[in-house]
């Protein structure tokens, strides 16, 4: 449910309907400064695929949830992050960025392969690249009947100096993600936005305030739990079924548009 570190080697996202091994995205971890160091209207989005690797690193566990079909959360978070990056880099979102007057928007992943990255290192990807938005992707596991999509933000009692902005982004992302999930499956459940005090850890290190973004304001940080992959129906919809790849694209396109319009 929370992880990362700087990327590795580039590859491409699998379009197969069944989950593929973690792969990489070209230039996913290219430093933002290499893209447009003089752009006055530059913005940066950092996407964090939760977990990775085989060992605990800096508070980041290698994996938490496992799908009914046996696919690990760490594989799915990377696939979803890569798909989200593809949509953010695509023409539909670029049109939104142009309409908002941004001359350059760069999307960076905290990891691009099956490696684990400590929580501080993940946050530092956002800090060093002056990210305006940081979004961490995770999946839940639990009882077989458990369902639902939820989005977390850092609680005020955990020292969030950017509570209003984080809460607003969390609601925007949750509304988009759940809306897309509801279109895929009428049985989808809205678990709503929640402060990280509602987690078993009572605080999520990955939601640490990473600093000031290119906008001149504090980076907004949220964490999404896409669904419970321990549920058979969810597994069929998002992991192992024939429409899993298309459904992944539908969900991440909705999130991409929400981020683009929030930037």
């Amino acid at each position: 449910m929370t992880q990362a570190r700087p990327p590795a080697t580039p590859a491409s996202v699998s379009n197969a309907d069944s989950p593929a091994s973690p792969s990489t995205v070209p230039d996913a971890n290219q430093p933002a400064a290499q893209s447009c160091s003089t752009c006055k209207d530059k913005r940066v989005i950092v996407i964090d695929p939760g977990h990775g690797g085989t060992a605990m690193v800096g508070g980041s566990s290698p994996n938490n949830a496992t799908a009914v079909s046996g696919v690990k959360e760490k594989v799915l978070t990377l696939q979803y992050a890569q798909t989200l990056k593809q949509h953010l880099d695509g023409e539909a979102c670029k049109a939104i960025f142009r309409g908002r007057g941004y001359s350059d928007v760069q999307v960076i992943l905290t990891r691009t392969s099956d490696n684990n990255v400590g929580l501080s290192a993940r946050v530092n990807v956002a800090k060093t690249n002056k990210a305006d938005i940081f979004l961490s992707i995770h999946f839940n596991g639990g009882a077989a009947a458990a369902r639902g999509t939820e989005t977390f933000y850092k609680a005020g009692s955990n020292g969030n100096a950017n509570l209003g902005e984080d809460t607003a982004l969390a609601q925007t992302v949750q509304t988009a993600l759940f809306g897309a999930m509801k279109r895929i499956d009428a049985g989808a459940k809205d678990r709503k936005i929640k402060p990280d005090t509602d987690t078993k850890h009572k605080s999520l290190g990955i939601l640490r305030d990473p600093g000031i973004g290119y906008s001149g304001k504090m980076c907004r940080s949220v964490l999404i739990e896409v669904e419970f992959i321990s549920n058979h129906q969810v597994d069929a919809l998002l992991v192992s079924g024939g429409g899993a790849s298309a459904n992944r694209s539908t969900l991440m396109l909705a999130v991409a548009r929400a981020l683009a319009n929030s930037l």
Side-chain angles (χ1 to χ4, degrees), residues 22-42:
S23 56
T24 57
V25 176
D27 300 323
N29 63 326
Q30 176 191 1
Q34 292 182 19
S35 170
C36 187
S37 59
T38 61
C39 288
K40 293 182 180 179
D41 297 315
K42 179 178 181 176

Side-chain angles (χ1 to χ4, degrees), residues 70-113:
V71 178
K72 294 183 176 181
E73 178 186 3
K74 66 174 185 175
V75 175
L76 294 172
T77 60
L78 184 54
Q79 288 181 336
Y80 273 66
Q82 291 171 332
T83 300
L84 178 55
K85 174 174 167 57
Q86 284 187 333
H87 284 308
L88 286 166
D89 287 339
E91 186 52 39
C93 284
K94 284 183 178 179
I96 295 174
F97 297 145
R98 287 194 297 270
R100 297 178 68 83
Y102 302 140
S103 55
D104 180 60
V105 176
Q106 185 160 9
V107 183
I108 302 170
L109 271 62
T110 58
R111 69 178 178 98
T112 57
S113 63

Side-chain angles (χ1 to χ4, degrees), residues 118-148:
L119 301 182
S120 293
R122 294 175 190 262
V123 174
N124 280 339
V125 173
K127 182 177 181 179
T128 58
N129 286 288
K130 298 183 68 174
D132 298 283
I133 289 177
F134 177 89
L135 183 141
S136 189
I137 302 176
H138 292 265
F139 288 82
N140 267 322
R147 285 292 309 266

Side-chain angles (χ1 to χ4, degrees), residues 14-237:
S14 171
N15 290 318
D17 290 336
S18 58
S21 299
S23 56
T24 57
V25 176
D27 300 323
N29 63 326
Q30 176 191 1
Q34 292 182 19
S35 170
C36 187
S37 59
T38 61
C39 288
K40 293 182 180 179
D41 297 315
K42 179 178 181 176
R43 296 291 186 271
V44 174
I45 299 173
V46 170
I47 307 300
D48 174 51
H51 309 290
T54 58
M56 177 77 75
V57 176
S60 175
S61 58
N63 192 73
N64 282 351
T66 300
V68 174
S69 57
V71 178
K72 294 183 176 181
E73 178 186 3
K74 66 174 185 175
V75 175
L76 294 172
T77 60
L78 184 54
Q79 288 181 336
Y80 273 66
Q82 291 171 332
T83 300
L84 178 55
K85 174 174 167 57
Q86 284 187 333
H87 284 308
L88 286 166
D89 287 339
E91 186 52 39
C93 284
K94 284 183 178 179
I96 295 174
F97 297 145
R98 287 194 297 270
R100 297 178 68 83
Y102 302 140
S103 55
D104 180 60
V105 176
Q106 185 160 9
V107 183
I108 302 170
L109 271 62
T110 58
R111 69 178 178 98
T112 57
S113 63
D114 184 20
N115 64 305
N116 201 357
V117 182
L119 301 182
S120 293
R122 294 175 190 262
V123 174
N124 280 339
V125 173
K127 182 177 181 179
T128 58
N129 286 288
K130 298 183 68 174
D132 298 283
I133 289 177
F134 177 89
L135 183 141
S136 189
I137 302 176
H138 292 265
F139 288 82
N140 267 322
R147 285 292 309 266
T149 297
E150 58 192 353
T151 301
F152 288 94
Y153 59 89
K154 185 178 182 181
S157 59
N158 281 333
N160 189 355
N162 199 37
L163 181 61
E165 290 80 3
D166 285 354
T167 303
L169 179 63
Q171 187 60 67
T172 297
V173 170
Q174 174 69 13
T175 297
L177 181 57
F178 171 68
M181 192 67 206
K182 191 74 172 179
R183 291 193 295 275
I184 290 172
D185 175 30
K189 179 181 177 181
D190 185 2
R191 290 173 62 90
K192 305 187 182 300
I193 67 170
K194 302 175 181 179
D196 61 351
T197 48
D198 281 9
T199 67
K200 67 179 181 180
H201 303 291
K202 303 304 178 184
S203 178
L204 297 176
I206 197 67
L207 294 181
R208 244 170 267 157
D209 289 328
I212 305 300
Y214 274 97
S215 64
K217 299 179 180 179
M218 290 186 70
C219 177
R220 291 165 287 166
S221 303
V222 298
L223 181 149
I224 59 174
E225 294 280 2
V226 179
E227 252 289 6
F228 282 80
I229 53 177
S230 49
N231 180 285
H232 281 272
Q233 186 172 359
V234 171
D235 183 284
L237 286 168

